[in-house]
Amino acid sequence: MPGIVIVGAQWGDEGKGKATDLLGSRIDYVVKFNGGNNAGHTVVIGDEKYALHLLPSGILTEGVVPVIGNGVVIDLEVLFEELDALSARGVDISKLKISANAHIIAPYHRTIDKVTERFLGKRQIGTTGRGIGPAYADKINRVGIRIQDLFDESILRQKVEGALFQKNQLLLKVYNRRAITVDEIVTELLSYADRVAPMVCDTALELNSALERGQNVLFEGGQATMLDVDHGTYPFVTSSSATAGGASTGSGVGPTRIDRVIGIAKAYITRVGAGPFPTELFDEWGDFLVEHGGEFGTTTGRRRRPGWYDAPIARYASRVNGLTDIVLTKLDVLTGLERIPVCVAYDVDGRRFDEVPVSQSDFHHAKPIYEEFPGWSEDITGARSFEELPKNAQDYVLALEQMSGTRISAIGVGPGRDAIIVRHDLVG
């Protein structure tokens, strides 16, 4: 039985929650392995819409055990707000398991994130201001606080003292902010200890044991390939490993346990935050994609930057993740367009690049080279087989498949839970 990784194949917001939901009835565990509450999944079930930020979307599927892995950074206040909101709507939250090794986003991380971003001025990265980057920085600097530290007040106090020693100097002398006391942080964090304790376990052991029992484990990535701290458009990236390799480091499950890697890509492309974006649209077609695609951030509410599909990025994502399948989402958003451009290569100062340039400077100056495809006007939201799609829609999908170098195994044709066409089994 497989371990399956789902990752975003663009800059995020591709519809990973929908893909997870598609697999839900055949999955036993769903694991969030990176990021924090800086990304969101929107899942539509019937007339109900659920916006998830920190929790894996598998929490909405009956019988699935949702897991927050060691690679995640957790804002405990946000965690319990989200759990309480789901519980109030009748969702069973009792099965949630949290790694004892996951790091905590403390209040001072949020403060530093916001003041640092403002201090950068024109060089801002476009962070969400939720403390994600500073929490990961503390993790790498070995002054982070982990979930397990909540259960030993003496250790917790020592770690908070160590973390604040330098941060208070920064807040006072650089940013002209008040110092943060150890007591206020320790008191707030300890207030969550009793409630979180029953959820905490050795999640790596639990997941490996589940795979040995022949159960299906789905690893759900936050953010996306082009936001990965190593493989994305650095420095305009997130602070964690958002590619398939991060599933192993963020969960404690070795790479030989992974059988499938599924990349999620929209039939166009969007980005949130600053950074290069060759196919970005600033005209009425960009407005069309935003309006028809509902392109506003689940977590931030920010308007996403829209653009046409970028085939070199799809090929890049296929390589660095080792994709076995692509789930193409939001094909229905393109309905009504007479012609649909697709970026097939880049022009950089007169030089043609068929792949993503290794130089960030080249990528920043890249101009898209487009190939246009005929559009369609028929409503495709009711299609449940590939053959039911208009011929032009079929041709568009097949062209993207050929250019992306990975088979397109499923196609999203609407926001509903069942609005999807399955061409190839994603589990078997």
Side-chain angles (χ1 to χ4, degrees):
M1 290 292 181
I4 302 172
V5 178
I6 284 184
V7 293
Q10 297 165 330
W11 272 291
D13 309 307
E14 302 97 342
K16 293 183 288 292
K18 187 181 185 70
T20 304
D21 190 57
L22 172 67
L23 297 166
S25 62
R26 302 168 67 185
I27 297 298
D28 300 293
Y29 287 77
V30 174
V31 188
K32 184 178 174 106
F33 62 81
N34 77 300
N37 58 305
N38 56 333
H41 295 318
T42 299
V43 179
V44 179
I45 304 176
D47 296 328
E48 296 288 321
K49 181 183 288 188
Y50 297 87
L52 303 175
H53 307 281
L54 183 57
L55 295 168
S57 58
I59 199 168
L60 297 173
T61 302
E62 186 176 351
V64 170
V65 178
V67 177
I68 295 178
N70 58 275
V72 177
V73 288
I74 301 173
D75 186 319
L76 290 163
E77 181 181 2
V78 171
L79 173 69
F80 290 120
E81 284 178 356
E82 197 162 328
L83 287 171
D84 289 343
L86 290 178
S87 182
R89 297 176 68 177
V91 176
D92 178 14
I93 60 172
S94 64
K95 293 183 178 181
L96 177 64
K97 296 182 182 296
I98 299 174
S99 172
N101 292 335
H103 279 246
I104 291 171
I105 300 173
Y108 50 79
H109 290 132
R110 295 192 297 270
T111 300
I112 289 172
D113 199 358
K114 292 172 183 175
V115 298
T116 302
E117 183 76 350
R118 283 197 291 268
F119 190 77
L120 288 172
K122 292 182 179 179
R123 295 182 293 112
Q124 289 185 7
I125 302 298
T127 76
T128 59
R130 284 162 168 76
I132 311 296
Y136 276 114
D138 276 6
K139 176 179 179 177
I140 299 304
N141 285 328
R142 290 158 293 185
V143 292
I145 297 167
R146 300 192 293 179
I147 289 290
Q148 59 182 276
D149 298 327
L150 295 174
F151 313 121
D152 186 326
E153 184 174 350
S154 175
I155 290 292
L156 178 63
R157 183 170 291 275
Q158 289 177 45
K159 290 195 171 186
V160 172
E161 286 175 351
L164 283 179
F165 177 76
Q166 182 186 55
K167 289 176 178 57
N168 275 333
Q169 300 298 313
L170 187 68
L171 288 171
L172 282 167
K173 296 177 181 178
V174 177
Y175 298 123
N176 196 30
R177 297 296 183 106
R178 75 169 182 86
I180 299 171
T181 69
V182 172
D183 283 344
E184 66 183 288
I185 299 300
V186 170
T187 299
E188 177 173 336
L189 295 181
L190 285 177
S191 70
Y192 300 112
D194 289 343
R195 187 173 179 191
V196 79
M199 306 173 190
V200 178
C201 67
D202 184 344
T203 53
L205 175 61
E206 175 105 9
L207 294 170
N208 279 285
S209 298
L211 287 166
E212 288 168 8
R213 292 193 299 268
Q215 293 181 287
N216 292 341
V217 177
L218 180 66
F219 302 87
E220 180 183 82
Q223 291 83 43
T225 299
M226 300 305 290
L227 293 176
D228 183 272
V229 69
D230 287 292
H231 303 291
T233 49
Y234 190 90
F236 303 99
V237 293
T238 192
S239 304
S240 62
S241 297
T243 43
S248 288
T249 55
S251 69
V253 174
T256 57
R257 300 280 189 146
I258 306 300
D259 300 277
R260 280 282 178 84
V261 181
I262 301 169
I264 316 301
K266 274 193 278 215
Y268 49 101
I269 198 167
T270 61
R271 163 162 213 173
V272 170
F277 183 3
T279 69
E280 184 170 10
L281 297 168
F282 301 95
D283 55 15
E284 69 272 18
W285 301 120
D287 293 338
F288 176 94
L289 294 177
V290 169
E291 180 183 348
H292 288 77
E295 296 298 349
F296 296 91
T298 302
T299 296
T300 63
R302 287 187 287 184
R303 184 186 193 270
R304 295 172 185 146
R305 299 161 61 189
W308 299 121
Y309 191 87
D310 190 316
I313 282 177
R315 288 194 294 275
Y316 179 79
S318 292
R319 279 198 305 277
V320 299
N321 291 295
L323 296 184
T324 59
D325 304 84
I326 287 175
V327 174
L328 188 72
T329 62
K330 293 197 170 184
L331 183 65
D332 55 298
V333 174
L334 302 180
T335 299
L337 295 173
E338 287 189 20
R339 307 289 296 176
I340 306 172
V342 172
C343 173
V344 297
Y346 310 115
D347 179 277
V348 182
D349 298 327
R351 294 176 295 157
R352 180 184 173 108
F353 285 76
D354 291 306
E355 304 296 341
V356 174
V358 67
S359 164
Q360 180 78 4
S361 179
D362 284 341
F363 192 57
H364 182 77
H365 293 100
K367 306 296 182 187
I369 297 172
Y370 286 118
E371 181 177 338
E372 287 195 345
F373 294 85
W376 60 91
S377 58
E378 299 92 331
D379 181 4
I380 66 171
T381 56
R384 294 298 177 267
S385 70
F386 189 68
E387 294 69 28
E388 292 178 65
L389 291 174
K391 177 66 165 54
N392 286 352
Q394 293 183 33
D395 290 345
Y396 181 73
V397 172
L398 293 174
L400 298 192
E401 182 175 64
Q402 190 275 327
M403 287 186 282
S404 302
T406 301
R407 70 180 188 179
I408 293 176
S409 295
I411 305 161
V413 292
R417 191 176 197 176
D418 63 340
I420 195 159
I421 294 169
V422 179
R423 297 177 70 211
H424 305 285
D425 188 1
L426 291 172
V427 177

